[in-house]
């Protein structure tokens, strides 16, 4: 894991492999951002001109390398684009700092130490740069020889020093400690998402949760397949029935003696999704190890909340199953009796996420939390609606949906509020059961949300995050986002817990 320190050292005398500075896109060309004054001075105040000559514009994510000036103990200056220059008396927003730091950390793969001299106007900026750098330095190399990328033989950036930080300032220390807790757990979620399904199956995921619980004082309860049968969890059992890897329902409970509110987070944990009997076509199976991203996000958020010691009670529910075709798999036309007692006609076994979530939502509702938030890579329809970088938010309360959206935007996770149109509910009417697991094809993401709403306890505030788009990045890395598992929704959930603890959420 990349180390992080706050440093008051002067840039010229600092020993590191590189010094990272910011450059903004100004009206007349690139502009050197605050924090890089010492570097600019060493270039006789002409650094912006040098960067422009090298082709830099200050555009977001742009990276330009140049030799460090004479007298510096660091051999390399790495200028990273921050985007448009802020208006007078304004500063760069947190997300611009995160993305710039992330792009720099990715570029410095293989370096032992880098000094980040990006704009820090307050402790919040320090936290944003720390988050971006630690997330950008992430690399999943567990299955590569010697733990290094075989293409270049380099390990991730080993150490980040934030120049301009204030090591003795309580606010700065708290911001960095928060960044460490959140990013380390988010990166753990990424590891889980990237782990091949032959190594991460329901029982293995449950074991990871148990180990983390012991380490961080979180109570963990695991319901195995026998306990699920005894409890009547028909949705989870139905989805997991076709696999030799038996399903699990994992409950993680973090409690604070000073808590006044209780949140429940529910995560879809399909460790591999073949589609079941409704088998996915060729070309759609290869990344289906990521179908447990919702459970990974919930797990990581609970551990982060525990590490931060927030004054709120938070319960996490991980609905874990592997969806496989076999003689014991659920069939289209089967009827499942869910944990709530409702019956569901299964019209498509590849609409399995809503079935495991339904059982977990009802279990969470039994504890009467102040709010429930579920997270799931639920529908391809949401990707068609919002693309690959934005998740959808549905809720049974407009104010809560807005609050979740604001929290997501605040932490830099693109999201968009989506409706739950009542007319779509009729499409799930079944002549055989209480409800079918499929409805109208158009608006499929909204139909899935309406299905889940049926399994939320009466009077409980609830939101559903469909993270199908941003959960797994099949394209190239950008900002602090790697290729593969992204850990999306972790920061939103942690922020919701922080707001609840502070009494600012409902």
């Amino acid at each position: 894991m990349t180390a992080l320190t706050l440093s008051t050292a002067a840039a010229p005398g600092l020993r590191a492999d590189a010094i990272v500075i910011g450059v903004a896109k100004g009206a007349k060309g690139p502009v050197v951002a605050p924090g890089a004054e010492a570097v600019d001075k060493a270039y006789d105040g002409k650094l912006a001109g040098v960067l422009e000559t090298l082709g830099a514009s200050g555009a977001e994510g742009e990276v330009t390398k140049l030799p460090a000036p004479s007298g510096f103990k660091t051999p390399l200056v790495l200028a990273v684009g921050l985007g448009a220059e802020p208006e007078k008396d304004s500063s760069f927003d947190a997300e611009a700092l995160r993305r710039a730091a992330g792009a720099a950390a990715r570029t410095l793969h293989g370096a032992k130490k880098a000094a980040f001299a990006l704009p820090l106007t307050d402790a919040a900026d320090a936290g944003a740069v720390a988050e971006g750098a630690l997330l950008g330095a992430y690399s999943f190399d567990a299955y590569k020889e010697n733990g290094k990328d075989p293409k270049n033989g380099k390990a991730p950036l080993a150490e980040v020093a934030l120049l301009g930080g204030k090591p003795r300032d309580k606010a700065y220390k708290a911001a960095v400690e928060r960044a460490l807790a959140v990013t380390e757990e988010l990166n753990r979620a990424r590891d889980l998402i990237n782990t091949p399904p032959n190594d991460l199956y329901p029982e293995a995921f449950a074991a990871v949760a148990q180990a983390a619980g012991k380490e961080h004082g979180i109570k963990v309860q695991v319901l195995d397949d026998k306990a699920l049968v005894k409890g009547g969890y028909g949705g989870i059992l139905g989805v997991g029935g076709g696999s030799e890897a038996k399903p699990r329902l994992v409950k993680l409970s973090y409690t604070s003696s000073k808590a006044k509110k209780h949140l429940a987070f529910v995560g879809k944990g399909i460790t591999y999704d073949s589609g079941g009997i409704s088998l996915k076509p060729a070309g759609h199976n290869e990344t289906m190890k990521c179908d447990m991203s919702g459970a990974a996000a919930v797990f990581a958020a609970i551990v982060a909340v525990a590490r931060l010691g927030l004054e709120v009670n938070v319960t996490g529910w991980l609905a874990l199953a592997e969806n496989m075709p076999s003689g014991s798999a659920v069939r289209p036309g089967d009827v499942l009796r869910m944990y709530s007692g409702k019956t569901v006609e299964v019209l498509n076994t590849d609409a399995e996420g809503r079935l495991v979530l339904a059982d977990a939502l009802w279990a969470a509702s039994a504890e009467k939390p102040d709010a429930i938030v579920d997270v799931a890579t639920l529908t391809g329809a949401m990707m068609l609606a919002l693309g690959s970088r934005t998740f959808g938010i549905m809720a049974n309360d407009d104010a809560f949906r807005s609050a979740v959206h604001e929290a997501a935007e605040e932490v830099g996770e693109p999201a968009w509020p989506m409706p739950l149109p009542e007319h779509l509910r009729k499409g799930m009417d079944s002549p055989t059961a209480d409800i079918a697991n499929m409805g109208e094809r158009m608006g499929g993401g909204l139909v899935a949300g309406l299905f889940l709403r049926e399994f939320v306890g009466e009077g409980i505030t609830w939101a559903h995050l469909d993270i199908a788009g941003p959960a797994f990045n099949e394209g190239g890395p950008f900002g602090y986002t790697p290729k593969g598992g992204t850990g999306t929704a972790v920061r939103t959930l942690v922020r919701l817990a922080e707001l609840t603890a502070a009494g600012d959420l409902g």
Side-chain angles (χ1 to χ4, degrees):
M1 188 68 186
T2 303
L4 177 70
T5 58
L6 288 167
S7 176
T8 57
L14 186 69
R15 294 186 182 276
D17 296 301
I19 181 166
V20 177
I21 66 169
V23 55
K25 193 171 185 178
K28 297 181 180 179
V31 177
V32 177
E37 290 83 0
V39 180
D40 190 28
K41 182 179 179 181
Y43 279 98
D44 296 325
K46 298 178 181 178
L47 180 54
V50 173
L51 289 169
E52 187 170 25
T53 300
L54 293 173
S57 68
E60 182 182 304
E62 180 184 78
V63 174
T64 306
K65 296 180 180 180
L66 63 161
S70 177
F72 273 59
K73 294 183 179 180
T74 302
L76 176 71
V77 172
L78 191 147
V80 61
L82 288 160
E85 181 183 20
E87 296 181 3
K88 188 178 180 181
D89 299 326
S90 297
S91 56
F92 292 95
D93 66 52
E95 185 61 7
L97 295 175
R98 281 191 205 97
R99 291 176 179 173
R106 285 193 297 103
T107 302
L108 292 169
H109 202 77
K112 292 183 178 179
K113 182 177 181 179
F116 282 63
L118 294 173
L120 300 183
T121 58
D122 55 23
D125 286 348
V129 173
E131 278 188 19
L134 294 173
L135 293 176
Y138 173 82
S139 181
F140 184 70
D141 299 321
Y143 289 82
K144 296 174 181 175
E145 189 174 4
N146 301 319
K148 296 180 180 180
D149 188 334
K151 292 182 180 179
N152 54 32
K154 296 178 180 179
L157 173 62
E159 183 180 350
V160 170
L162 298 188
L163 301 188
K166 300 177 181 179
R168 297 182 181 180
D169 186 289
K170 290 183 179 180
Y172 276 77
K173 287 175 66 177
V176 168
E177 287 171 1
R178 179 190 183 280
L180 278 168
V182 173
T183 58
E184 285 179 1
E185 297 313 320
L186 192 153
N187 283 336
R188 183 178 357 205
R190 289 172 168 179
D191 283 347
L192 288 168
I193 297 164
N194 289 325
T195 299
N198 58 319
D199 282 343
L200 189 77
Y201 41 91
E203 184 179 1
F205 197 152
V208 171
Q210 288 174 313
K214 289 181 180 179
E215 182 181 358
H216 298 289
I218 302 166
K219 183 180 179 181
V220 180
Q221 179 184 5
V222 178
L223 298 184
D224 62 14
D225 51 311
K226 293 180 181 178
L228 292 171
V229 170
K230 185 177 180 180
Y233 291 86
I236 297 174
L237 288 165
V239 173
S243 175
E244 292 185 2
K246 300 306 178 185
R248 298 286 187 272
L249 178 62
V250 179
K251 177 185 177 184
L252 303 99
S253 303
Y254 164 76
T255 57
S256 167
S257 60
K258 297 180 180 179
K260 295 181 180 179
K261 295 284 187 177
H262 176 201
L263 292 177
F265 298 151
V266 177
K268 172 188 172 183
I270 304 299
T271 57
Y272 182 74
D273 182 20
S274 69
I277 297 297
S278 306
L279 193 67
K280 293 179 183 290
H284 291 75
N285 282 307
E286 291 76 6
T287 61
M288 282 299 103
K289 63 182 181 181
C290 80
D291 214 18
M292 37 60 68
S293 295
V298 166
F299 164 66
I302 297 290
V303 179
V305 166
R307 289 180 60 175
L308 294 171
L310 300 183
E311 295 177 3
V312 59
N313 292 336
V314 188
T315 306
W317 299 84
L318 315 182
L320 308 176
E322 187 176 68
N323 187 22
M324 295 290 285
S326 75
S328 59
V330 67
R331 296 154 292 216
D334 281 353
V335 174
L336 303 176
R337 185 169 295 278
M338 312 298 282
Y339 181 57
S340 69
K342 276 189 171 126
T343 55
V344 176
E345 183 181 11
V346 179
L347 300 180
N348 186 331
T349 66
D350 196 22
E352 84 299 329
R354 64 199 70 182
L355 298 175
V356 301
L357 284 174
D359 277 354
L361 282 168
W362 193 255
S365 296
E367 297 189 339
K368 302 295 183 183
D370 293 286
I372 298 175
V373 180
D374 78 69
V375 188
T377 48
L378 206 59
T379 65
M382 195 56 57
M383 295 179 68
L384 292 173
L386 298 178
S388 62
R389 297 191 184 184
T390 304
F391 62 77
I393 306 171
M394 285 154 265
N396 61 2
D397 180 273
D398 289 346
F400 188 59
R401 182 183 61 193
S402 296
V404 174
H405 182 216
E406 289 172 7
E409 293 293 323
E410 182 182 349
V411 299
E413 294 190 322
W416 197 250
M418 301 293 283
L420 289 173
E422 292 298 334
H423 72 274
L424 291 176
R425 170 59 183 86
K426 185 174 177 58
M428 290 183 284
D429 285 347
S430 165
T432 307
D434 294 320
I435 191 173
N437 77 328
M438 292 290 288
E440 293 184 28
R441 178 171 175 269
M442 298 301 178
L446 312 182
V447 170
L450 287 165
F451 179 91
L452 295 178
R453 190 182 66 178
E454 298 278 324
F455 298 89
V456 176
E458 186 176 353
I460 297 176
T461 301
W462 158 79
H464 160 56
L465 313 185
D466 190 336
I467 61 169
F472 197 84
N473 176 26
E474 295 187 59
F478 57 93
Y480 52 80
T481 302
K483 185 178 178 68
T486 66
T488 195
V490 172
R491 290 180 293 147
T492 296
L493 295 179
V494 172
R495 187 60 186 146
L496 288 172
E498 288 175 327
L499 290 168
T500 302
D504 296 330
L505 188 71

